[in-house]
Amino acid sequence: MKIAAIDIGSNAARMQISSVLHDKNKISFKKVEYVRFALRLGMDVFNTGKISYESEARIKKLLMAYRLLMELHEVDAYMICATSAMREAENGINIVERVRNELGMEIHLIEGEKEAELINDVIKVVLENDKTYLHIDVGGGSTELNIYKGRTKIAARSFKIGSVRLLEHKEAPDVWNKMKAWIEDTIPTHENVIAVGTGGNISKLFNMIEHKTQGRATLRELQQKRDYINKFSLEDRINLLQLNADRADVIVPASDIYISVMKWADAHEIIVPDLGLKDGILLLVYETLMEEEQH
C-alpha cells in the first residue's frame, strides 16, 4: 500500500509518498518520494491579504505535477492540507473551490490547533515518560508551542509568528511578549525542560551543527550556528553555505524564534526528530483508510 501527504505551507509545499510497512502489529511508513517546492504564499498573504493570480497558477501546476507522481506510484490515498498563509488569505476558500472544480483535488484548510495535533500524533514516539518537553514548531506564518509531561500534552498555543511573517515584518508588535508570557505562565519554574524542534529551518540548522551528542544540540550551539549564518550575505548563504534560496533568507528569523522560546523556557537542549506535519498527515490518511475498510 502507498499513501501520500501534501503540506502547503506559507514558505514551501511538500509532498511525501510512503509505503506502508507491517511488522507484526506495528506499522511504519517508508519514504519512496519527496518533493519540495518554494511556493512562498506567505509573501503574498502577509503583505496584501490574498494570494496573487500568479501564485494560484503555480499552486495548480504544482498539484498537477504531484498528481502525476502519485499516479505513477499508484498511490492508494492522499490528503492535502494548507496552513497559515492559505488559511488567512481572503481568497483562500475561492482557490480551494477552483482547485476542487478544475483538478478534482480537495485542499483542507487547517487551523493552527489541528496542525499542532497532527504533528503531535507522530512526535510522541520520541518522548520519554518521566520528562517535561516543550515542542516548538515554526512554520512560515505561525508557531505552535506544545508542552508535554512525558507523552501527555498538558498545554498548547498557536502564535501568529513565523519565518516568512518575520522576514516581511508582518508580525504583531506584541506577539513576542505574548509568547514569553505564555511560556512563563505555563511552565513551572525550576522545571527541567527539553525542547523538541520541528520544521524545515530547525532541521537545517541542526544538521549544520558539527559534533552533536546523541542527536541533541545545546542552546549555545544553536546560537553559535545562527550567528555564523547571519555573518554571510544572502548570496554567500546560497553559494558558500549551499542553502536553498528560499531557506537562506528565512533561516535566521526562524532560528530567532526557536532560540527565544528555549531561553524563556530555560531549556538548554533540543531534540530535532525528522518528523513534521507531512508525517502527521500520512498517519491520518492511513487511519482513515483503515476505518473505511472496517466499514
Side-chain angles (χ1 to χ4, degrees):
M1 182 195 289
K2 282 184 193 167
I3 56 176
I6 297 170
D7 161 21
I8 303 174
S10 302
N11 189 34
R14 304 161 186 80
M15 178 181 71
Q16 181 166 318
I17 298 173
S18 292
S19 293
V20 180
L21 305 180
H22 297 268
D23 178 18
K24 299 187 178 85
N25 293 330
K26 265 178 69 178
I27 64 116
S28 59
F29 305 127
K30 183 177 186 294
K31 180 164 67 181
V32 293
E33 186 81 68
Y34 176 75
V35 186
R36 179 182 180 277
F37 183 80
L39 277 174
R40 281 283 159 115
L41 299 181
M43 294 286 198
D44 287 351
V45 178
F46 307 143
N47 283 302
T48 69
K50 55 187 178 185
I51 292 166
S52 68
Y53 176 78
E54 294 78 13
S55 291
E56 180 179 343
R58 278 205 304 277
I59 293 167
K60 289 173 187 170
K61 274 186 188 170
L62 184 63
L63 288 177
M64 285 192 283
Y66 282 169
R67 186 168 64 189
L68 282 173
L69 268 174
M70 289 192 288
E71 284 172 10
L72 284 168
H73 279 286
E74 298 179 352
V75 164
D76 295 280
Y78 71 92
M79 186 176 188
I80 309 168
C81 290
T83 55
S84 185
M86 198 180 267
R87 180 171 73 226
E88 288 179 38
E90 54 192 60
N91 58 342
I93 289 171
N94 305 88
I95 291 171
V96 168
E97 284 175 5
R98 285 195 285 273
V99 166
R100 186 192 299 125
N101 294 334
E102 293 168 31
L103 305 181
M105 299 174 87
E106 185 72 46
I107 299 173
H108 300 267
L109 298 180
I110 59 170
E111 294 298 326
E113 290 75 14
K114 181 63 178 175
E115 187 178 344
E117 187 186 309
L118 288 170
I119 300 168
N120 294 341
D121 288 342
V122 290
I123 284 292
K124 287 177 187 171
V125 296
V126 302
L127 308 182
E128 293 174 33
N129 281 326
D130 56 344
K131 298 196 168 118
T132 302
Y133 296 93
L134 171 57
H135 172 217
I136 312 161
D137 183 73
V138 178
S142 65
T143 293
E144 322 305 330
L145 300 181
N146 305 280
I147 298 166
Y148 285 89
K149 284 276 194 189
R151 293 193 175 117
T152 305
K153 183 160 65 169
I154 57 166
R157 183 83 180 267
S158 180
F159 293 90
K160 276 192 182 182
I161 185 169
S163 57
V164 179
R165 213 187 280 270
L166 275 181
L167 188 69
E168 297 293 298
H169 305 291
K170 296 296 175 186
E171 76 280 10
D174 62 342
V175 70
W176 290 103
N177 293 333
K178 281 184 176 170
M179 263 202 305
K180 183 173 189 268
W182 184 80
I183 289 164
E184 288 172 351
D185 290 346
T186 316
I187 297 175
T189 45
H190 314 302
E191 188 84 55
N192 184 19
V193 177
I194 300 163
V196 181
T198 54
N201 287 297
I202 193 68
S203 294
K204 177 50 85 175
L205 192 70
F206 185 74
N207 289 335
M208 290 173 78
I209 295 169
E210 304 86 7
H211 317 301
K212 292 184 291 285
T213 49
Q214 298 172 329
R216 294 184 179 204
T218 64
L219 176 57
R220 189 167 171 228
E221 286 169 331
L222 284 191
Q223 185 84 60
Q224 285 172 338
K225 190 55 73 177
R226 177 251 178 241
D227 293 345
Y228 172 74
I229 295 167
N230 198 40
K231 288 178 192 167
F232 290 84
S233 68
L234 192 59
E235 197 178 334
D236 285 345
R237 289 181 201 177
I238 294 165
N239 292 307
L240 301 179
L241 300 182
Q242 299 183 4
L243 293 172
N244 288 339
D246 67 297
R247 178 75 67 216
D249 57 353
V250 293
I251 192 165
V252 170
S255 302
D256 290 340
I257 300 174
Y258 289 101
I259 289 164
S260 299
V261 168
M262 284 179 72
K263 281 180 179 171
W264 296 330
D266 201 21
H268 304 291
E269 279 191 315
I270 189 166
I271 304 165
V272 183
D274 185 21
L275 295 166
L277 179 59
K278 61 182 171 45
D279 303 278
I281 299 169
L282 282 171
L283 186 61
L284 182 60
V285 171
Y286 174 75
E287 287 172 348
T288 306
L289 264 181
M290 291 302 97
E291 278 175 25
E292 285 169 2
E293 275 189 17
Q294 282 167 6
H295 294 121

